[in-house]
Amino acid sequence: MTQRWDHLLINATLATFAGDAPYGLIERGAIAMHEGHIAWVGAQDDLPGDALALASHVEDLGGAVVTPGLIDCHTHLVFGGNRAHEFDLRLNGASYEDIARAGGGIVSTVKATREASEDELFVQALPRAHALLADGVTALEIKSGYGLDKETERRMLRVARRIGNALGITVRTSFLGLHALPPEYRENRTAYVSLVCDEMLPALAAEGLVDAVDAFCENIGFTPEETRRVFDRATELGLPVKLHAEQLSDLDGAALVARYRGLSADHLEYLSDSGIRAMAAAGTVAVLLPGAFYALRETELPPIAGLREHGVAMAIATDCNPGTSPLLSLRLAAGMACTLFRLTPEEALRGVTVHAARALGLSDRGTLQAGQRADLDVWNVKQPAELCYWIGGQVLRNVFIGGHSQAEVRP
Ligand SMILES: O=C(O)CC[C@@H]1NC(=O)NC1=O
Ligand SMILES: [Fe+3]
């Protein structure tokens, strides 16, 4: 006799992303959830005979697509204020680097973030998290990096944890102390890098606020040598690393994070063949950020063909941040990855599920397989490619987070 399941969804088009078949597709499939995990998944005709009678809730989806819950593996979701005025400046010809060198960019958001209380940062970030959830996100990463002093970095990471608790979703935090040089250290970058490595990171890690360590390795950010210092400290503390790499130039950042067997290298517009090979050898995930490419009107495309050829897993994320990617839909980011970077819809959807989970070191989710967390999205579409095809709009029907249907709580 089959055990009683909490939920059984039938007549579903399942995009499982398990195995190599396109989407891991199961037409007319069924998926059962029990005590927060996927208990059974497969062709409906293969269900155990008494399954429908024993399930507490049975729902016929009428052929709707079901995917794993979407995972946004790269966001700067917590910050004070916004930078709409810079949007205007850039559209009038100023480059992101011009604005940064003139004291705008990241540093201007630092000022607004330092002036905001923890509650103010939480209240400002929560609607952005709600927007991501409204389009299918069930887990996300949130970086620090707009505080650039211990107290404000702590406040940012505490807000990230509060967002996860308030919404009942998994939030993975990344410490990004090496995001920009704060004004007070403009003349002494070595001292700032030491403050980050020797004081901030150990203290915030000891408070349980840090799940991974990131850095902005770029001409207008930090050098490979400075990045190595914070990566060495992360390694001493037992924390995994990831890196903003090759966004505006090639500093061999991808090869650097691969040397630490890092979780991911992110952006990658200027990634070299040697960087691709290093990532492939290390199993480091390529996180592509089409929102920043689009908002900066970048023209250098990431080397998608090379990443494919060497079997580097590609993830897609919003890079939600006030300067280069004020993007509040991961599903739209997947569509942009198709239209702008020429990924197939299958690659893009794999990039916001199983590959995104890998970029966060999460192995308990990202596919529809028995034993995985029951985080899944039910969509008002009949084929998975529609999720990248429709631009904007509301195509999400329901979300299960840990096996709990949000339909009961969603408007
Ligand atoms: O402009 C900002 O506020 C962040 C930009 C963001 N940070 C980074 O390291 N690269 C980016 O695109
Ligand atoms: Fe970023």
Side-chain angles (χ1 to χ4, degrees):
M1 181 184 84
T2 309
Q3 71 172 69
R4 178 176 296 282
W5 292 327
D6 298 329
H7 283 278
L8 174 60
L9 307 179
I10 60 172
N11 197 3
T13 303
L14 300 176
T16 67
F17 296 104
D20 295 329
Y23 305 101
L25 201 65
I26 300 176
E27 309 264 10
R28 201 166 178 279
I31 183 164
M33 291 165 269
H34 192 65
E35 293 177 350
H37 289 82
I38 296 172
W40 191 96
V41 55
Q44 185 169 322
D45 293 345
D46 297 339
L47 270 170
D50 53 2
L52 272 76
L54 285 176
S56 304
H57 296 91
V58 181
E59 186 181 354
D60 182 322
L61 296 184
V65 166
V66 178
T67 66
L70 305 191
I71 299 169
D72 197 348
C73 65
H74 182 135
T75 88
H76 306 253
L77 195 80
V78 173
F79 54 84
N82 73 58
R83 301 220 306 271
H85 64 288
E86 291 184 16
F87 177 72
D88 191 352
L89 288 173
R90 276 212 306 276
L91 284 169
N92 281 281
S95 75
Y96 180 53
E97 288 159 300
D98 294 340
I99 292 170
R101 291 192 203 287
I106 298 174
V107 177
S108 63
T109 297
V110 168
K111 184 172 181 301
T113 304
R114 286 177 167 181
E115 290 165 357
S117 69
E118 182 178 311
D119 286 347
E120 284 164 343
L121 289 175
F122 177 75
V123 165
Q124 289 179 39
L126 200 58
R128 294 191 279 266
H130 275 302
L132 291 176
L133 269 62
D135 214 358
V137 166
T138 58
L140 71 153
E141 181 252 20
I142 300 178
K143 304 175 189 293
S144 70
Y146 287 116
L148 309 184
D149 62 42
K150 186 161 65 172
E151 178 40 47
T152 314
E153 288 289 303
R154 171 187 288 118
R155 219 158 52 240
M156 291 187 70
L157 292 166
R158 284 171 53 84
V159 168
R161 289 277 191 250
R162 278 177 62 181
I163 286 172
N165 296 335
L167 298 177
I169 61 169
T170 301
V171 167
R172 302 293 286 172
T173 61
S174 297
F175 172 74
L176 181 57
L178 293 191
H179 193 196
L181 198 60
E184 64 271 22
Y185 282 92
R186 175 83 33 97
E187 304 309 322
N188 194 347
R189 51 185 308 125
T190 305
Y192 178 67
V193 175
S194 297
L195 172 71
V196 166
C197 298
D198 304 337
E199 268 191 61
M200 278 194 219
L201 176 52
L204 298 175
E207 295 174 34
L209 291 172
V210 179
D211 297 319
V213 174
D214 189 354
F216 180 35
C217 186
E218 191 53 72
N219 292 320
I220 58 169
F222 292 87
T223 66
E225 295 66 36
E226 293 165 336
T227 300
R228 237 195 305 280
R229 280 192 61 191
V230 79
F231 279 6
D232 286 342
R233 176 68 74 192
T235 304
E236 285 168 23
L237 294 167
L239 293 169
V241 296
K242 52 181 55 248
L243 189 63
H244 285 68
E246 278 72 273
Q247 178 184 3
L248 306 171
S249 64
D250 180 3
L251 296 185
D252 260 344
L256 174 57
V257 70
R259 266 202 293 285
Y260 286 81
R261 303 193 72 76
L263 293 172
S264 70
D266 301 36
H267 281 290
L268 301 178
E269 279 83 348
Y270 289 83
L271 176 64
S272 65
D273 284 345
S274 60
I276 292 173
R277 285 194 295 275
M279 290 175 69
T284 298
V285 175
V287 176
L288 304 173
L289 304 170
F293 179 94
Y294 166 82
L296 290 172
R297 303 161 68 214
E298 176 59 68
T299 54
E300 183 75 14
L301 286 166
I304 303 301
L307 291 167
R308 275 194 192 115
E309 182 194 341
H310 291 276
V312 176
M314 295 186 277
I316 312 293
T318 61
D319 191 17
C320 178
N321 75 72
T324 65
S325 190
L327 178 54
L328 296 175
S329 165
L330 182 58
R331 186 178 65 80
L332 178 53
M336 291 167 100
C338 295
T339 301
L340 298 175
F341 293 169
R342 317 312 291 161
L343 265 67
T344 65
E346 204 274 352
E347 286 173 325
L349 292 173
R350 202 173 279 270
V352 294
T353 53
V354 59
H355 289 167
R358 229 176 92 183
L360 295 181
L362 295 173
S363 57
D364 65 342
R365 69 196 74 193
T367 64
L368 299 182
Q369 289 177 292
Q372 292 263 291
R373 259 182 71 89
D375 288 359
L376 50 94
D377 293 333
V378 181
W379 301 94
N380 283 320
V381 299
K382 290 289 189 338
Q383 52 184 314
E386 291 185 70
L387 297 176
C388 298
Y389 166 76
W390 295 112
I391 303 172
Q394 178 50 273
V395 293
L396 183 65
R397 181 187 300 184
N398 192 9
V399 185
F400 287 83
I401 295 177
H404 296 290
S405 166
Q406 302 303 300
E408 290 127 28
V409 298
R410 286 158 55 85

